[in-house]
Amino acid sequence: MPRRTLLLAATATAATAGCAVPAPRRHGPVPDPAPGLAIASTRRAKLMQVLAHPDDDLYFMNPDTREALDSGTPVVCVYLTAGEADGLNKAPGAPRPEPDRAAYASSRHQGLRQAYAELLGLDRFTPWQRSALTLRGGHRAERDVLTDGARRVELIFLNTAMHTGRGRLGLPSLWADRRRVLRTVVADDSPLQRAGSYTYESLTDVLVGLLEEYRPTVVHTLDPDPDLQFSSEYERRRDSEQRGYSDHADHTAAGCFAWAALIRWVAGATGRGEPVPGFVVAAFRGYYNHHWPKNLPPEVLERKAAHLVPYGGAPDWECGNPSGCGDYNIGGDRPLASRKGWVRSTHHRYPGPRAQVTSGTDGRLTVYGVLGLRAVRWSESAPGSGFRDVPDDLGGGPLAPVLGSAATADGRHLLFGLRFAALTGHGSDNDREIVLLEQRSPGGPFRAWRGLGNPATGSDHGRRVGVPVAVAAPDGRVHLFARNAEKGLSTRVRDAGTGRWTGWRDLGGGEVQDGLTAVVDAVGRVHVYAAGHHAVHHWTQDAPDTDVTARTQLTDFPVPAHAPGALPAPDGSVELYYRPAARERLVAVRADRAPAPRFGGYGPVTAAAAPGGPVLLGRSAVGRVQLRTAGGTAVRSRGPIALDGVALHLGAADGRPAVVGFGPDAAPWVWRP
């Protein structure tokens, strides 16, 4: 058989063997997986969200979900559990009710219908079309549909039981044990009449079937690899977190099932000789929000929290559902009043620019990104033409959605990815590693994918590795950085002469969030910045040819919500721009003490140097991409909305800034204000 046919067959076999994903080949010339596959192309945007509980999307994925709906993107939400918990739907100030799990699940589902009706701009009690949906393997689910013109929301309730009477033996146990059979809950007033059950295989297969049926272009998942978090047993139980990690156990299992299904979907399609499905992924942190500075300013937070009001509902509402009109436990202002503060942040598990942008001497842009869990490349046919063609497949999957990049001294491109080297569940391998794709010559073909390992020695710690960030120093060395399981910084360095990499080295310093900023100053020193609990953290070199080491924290400035944008100043210093925690205004850290320019909004800020002064890229308070130059601030008001991770490029021949992002149709766009 031809080598490509064998590779495709091996991929399909791996997909049917419990989502086993072959580890990258660290030696040898054969790319793994093989590049050059066809990529499916569609302009029909659709968002699918895979959730553990009713309200995960409202707490953790907004405002991204709302912005997609506002743009007209159809949304499909798949809830893996019934959300019945202990069956106690207690209204604030009311007596403790008798437990009723079927009624509580029904009331939470009604709360979702109320919330999404308002998100569509309709009355909260607008009737939905409710029906029973037949899934793969004969499984059944409830499907609720509401449309408003061309806009559409579908809620699909798989309704697996959260608790089975002997501790937490719900979704996490199903992920951990292939032999486990998990029953479903029949919610009151549901079109479903009898309970069913799921195994590991059948739940994964049902999710793959839904992906194949709906063919989403954007998929939202929960965090499959939450941070390590060591809390007392009292704190852990009070905050509903799993032992040792900063999230609910159901969130982690739902994230793992979602990613396993995505991997199996791609492997199954390519194994049958079909194109790679064209979609992008965004994973969202969960209870992580409680442990880090809040990142939504008042205007954005108010809008996000408002959508939890119809979900929480109240006992005196007349919604038409006999079992209840929402999740009364979080009714009223309780999401904002809660000490846990989950609603006050929206954190992406894989932060950073989705597009890595380069330009040739003729001004044409080349963009690298991740599509269908694989690295891909788009190229402009002429300067300013945009990206109209199907991208080139570079393989390397399954990859997290954000790549790192750098260029060698002779102009060869290096791409770095975070790869799901194994994701099998049931107590088997669950590994992540940093991988590298390197050009053989400037503008030429690429070598085989190469594994660069992981800062951690064990798979549990290895799963917590962050997005790779790389920067090329003037001495020809390439510095690679990644956040490690201890929430610090680790590095590997590529030698300029031999191309060999050092081993992983822990750089020390305090705990930081993922989303690193690396820059080279005017003297040639490498700097790395990250957002900590109380300040911006900084690593740099004493001289250009020395090791990067930790420096003091920038404690004289406000607490950051995100990693800062950084640009080198002519005097050898580095200027920083960021938004403080829970604030809209911009902070500037500059040697000349000049005040920060007015640049409101929310989310990370990217900075770049230009002759007229710094160029800043960010989002407005309503989520629109905005660019500030010496000539003023421009807001991108036309075209598809921007997903997270918009990139700024100033290297084009005409010197104009180019902004590159991805829309909900999973296609890149270019904005040149």
Side-chain angles (χ1 to χ4, degrees):
M1 298 175 65
R3 179 176 63 83
R4 175 167 173 152
T5 305
L6 286 169
L7 284 167
L8 290 173
T11 304
T13 302
T16 59
C19 278
V21 181
R25 297 186 178 96
R26 292 167 173 77
H27 305 287
V30 181
D32 184 11
L37 300 184
I39 305 288
S41 178
T42 177
R43 292 290 175 171
R44 296 180 180 178
K46 183 171 290 183
L47 167 62
M48 177 178 282
Q49 304 187 133
V50 182
L51 301 313
H53 314 118
D55 77 6
D56 288 343
D57 36 2
L58 303 176
Y59 266 112
F60 308 120
M61 297 178 178
N62 263 340
D64 295 46
T65 304
R66 176 190 58 78
E67 290 170 3
L69 270 175
D70 288 349
S71 74
T73 303
V75 175
V76 180
C77 304
V78 183
Y79 302 92
L80 302 192
T81 78
E84 81 286 3
D86 55 9
L88 294 175
N89 195 11
K90 184 182 182 303
R96 180 184 176 92
E98 290 296 320
D100 188 334
R101 296 185 178 182
Y104 185 31
S106 176
S107 192
R108 294 186 75 175
H109 297 173
Q110 174 62 27
L112 277 175
R113 290 190 286 270
Q114 293 164 178
Y116 273 101
E118 288 202 1
L119 278 163
L120 284 176
L122 303 174
D123 182 84
R124 64 180 55 156
F125 301 136
T126 301
W128 291 60
Q129 292 181 332
R130 302 175 62 193
S131 61
L133 176 66
T134 300
L135 307 170
R136 247 188 209 181
H139 293 276
R140 305 264 285 173
E142 178 179 340
R143 174 166 60 183
D144 300 348
V145 180
L146 183 62
T147 60
D148 177 34
R151 301 195 302 162
R152 179 183 179 93
V153 176
E154 296 186 41
L155 311 178
I156 298 175
F157 301 107
L158 302 189
N159 283 353
T160 64
M162 285 182 65
H163 303 273
T164 58
R166 293 182 299 164
R168 187 178 297 282
L169 297 176
L171 207 59
S173 67
L174 198 67
W175 174 259
D177 186 353
R178 278 185 181 275
R179 299 167 297 179
R180 180 75 61 185
V181 177
L182 183 61
R183 63 178 176 81
T184 64
V185 173
V186 178
D188 284 351
D189 196 40
S190 170
L192 297 175
Q193 298 301 313
R194 62 176 185 272
S197 62
Y198 282 99
T199 63
Y200 169 99
E201 283 296 334
S202 63
L203 181 58
T204 307
D205 206 38
V206 160
L207 291 176
V208 174
L210 289 169
L211 290 166
E212 291 183 345
E213 176 183 353
Y214 286 97
R215 304 197 70 81
T217 51
V218 182
V219 180
H220 285 176
T221 80
L222 294 167
D223 184 358
D225 302 318
D227 276 2
L228 300 176
Q229 186 66 44
F230 300 103
S231 304
S232 69
E233 189 65 12
Y234 167 75
E235 291 173 325
R236 184 184 70 81
R237 289 182 178 275
R238 179 183 59 172
D239 295 340
S240 306
E241 295 189 348
Q242 57 191 305
R243 184 174 287 108
Y245 306 100
S246 63
D247 211 349
H248 195 293
D250 287 356
H251 296 169
T252 304
C256 287
F257 270 116
W259 277 89
L262 290 168
I263 293 168
R264 188 176 290 193
W265 180 29
V266 173
T270 56
R272 295 188 296 269
E274 300 171 4
V276 176
F279 66 92
V280 296
V281 187
F284 294 81
R285 300 281 197 181
Y287 291 178
Y288 173 102
N289 294 358
H290 171 53
H291 299 281
W292 292 93
K294 309 306 179 251
N295 64 16
L296 296 181
E299 181 180 348
V300 182
L301 172 61
E302 181 181 357
R303 188 181 301 113
K304 178 179 178 180
H307 296 307
L308 278 156
V309 172
Y311 169 74
D316 59 352
W317 286 9
E318 296 181 3
C319 65
N321 184 34
S323 298
C325 298
D327 187 351
Y328 306 149
N329 293 283
I330 62 166
D333 65 349
R334 296 185 97 179
L336 285 173
S338 171
R339 53 171 290 278
K340 300 173 184 178
W342 298 331
V343 73
R344 295 179 177 274
S345 295
T346 299
H347 284 286
H348 295 94
R349 171 60 178 86
Y350 309 106
R354 287 181 175 269
Q356 295 296 330
V357 190
T358 66
S359 57
T361 55
D362 60 357
R364 291 187 302 158
L365 298 183
T366 296
V367 168
Y368 298 97
V370 176
L371 193 63
L373 307 183
R374 298 164 69 87
V376 294
R377 176 180 58 197
W378 289 268
S379 297
E380 286 188 315
S381 57
S385 65
F387 308 107
R388 296 183 176 88
D389 297 330
V390 175
D392 301 320
D393 171 47
L394 302 178
L399 298 171
V402 173
L403 299 173
S405 71
T408 60
D410 61 359
R412 288 177 290 132
H413 295 168
L414 307 178
L415 296 179
F416 303 88
L418 172 56
R419 187 173 190 265
F420 285 74
L423 183 63
T424 54
H426 61 91
S428 297
D429 293 339
N430 201 344
D431 298 324
R432 314 287 179 266
E433 80 162 342
I434 306 296
V435 291
L436 165 67
L437 185 65
E438 179 177 340
Q439 272 186 323
R440 292 182 180 274
S441 59
F446 285 90
R447 302 179 187 272
W449 281 91
R450 176 185 176 189
L452 293 180
N454 191 300
T457 55
S459 61
D460 185 64
H461 276 50
R463 288 172 57 188
R464 321 300 154 185
V465 67
V467 173
V469 172
V471 64
D475 61 8
R477 294 190 298 170
V478 175
H479 295 255
L480 170 65
F481 303 99
R483 182 185 188 245
N484 56 41
E486 286 70 31
K487 306 167 195 169
L489 197 63
S490 293
T491 185
R492 291 190 74 171
V493 180
R494 181 185 185 276
D495 182 77
T498 65
R500 294 178 180 174
W501 289 86
T502 65
W504 284 103
R505 182 169 62 92
D506 191 333
L507 295 181
E511 292 186 347
V512 297
Q513 298 190 64
D514 202 11
L516 311 173
T517 302
V519 67
V520 178
D521 66 22
V523 181
R525 295 171 300 187
V526 171
H527 297 258
V528 184
Y529 299 91
H533 289 286
H534 308 292
V536 173
H537 291 238
H538 180 209
W539 294 259
T540 189
Q541 301 167 297
D542 290 327
D545 59 348
T546 59
D547 290 337
V548 173
T549 57
R551 291 299 191 265
T552 57
Q553 303 172 27
L554 306 182
T555 54
D556 294 337
F557 298 89
V559 174
H562 301 275
L567 59 89
D571 63 358
S573 65
V574 176
E575 298 179 2
L576 305 181
Y577 299 88
Y578 68 90
R579 303 191 197 282
R583 293 291 182 267
E584 182 179 3
R585 68 179 178 85
L586 199 66
V587 167
V589 181
R590 299 173 48 150
D592 59 8
R593 299 287 181 175
R598 297 189 62 179
F599 193 61
Y602 79 98
V605 175
T606 302
V615 176
L616 303 177
L617 173 67
R619 287 182 184 269
S620 69
V622 296
R624 286 290 182 177
V625 173
Q626 56 180 353
L627 187 74
R628 189 188 189 284
T629 65
T633 299
V635 178
R636 184 175 177 269
S637 57
R638 296 183 179 180
I641 64 163
L643 303 181
D644 61 288
V646 181
L648 173 63
H649 180 68
L650 263 64
D654 60 5
R656 294 171 58 198
V659 178
V660 180
F662 285 82
D665 58 357
W669 46 258
V670 183
W671 178 46
R672 294 179 172 90

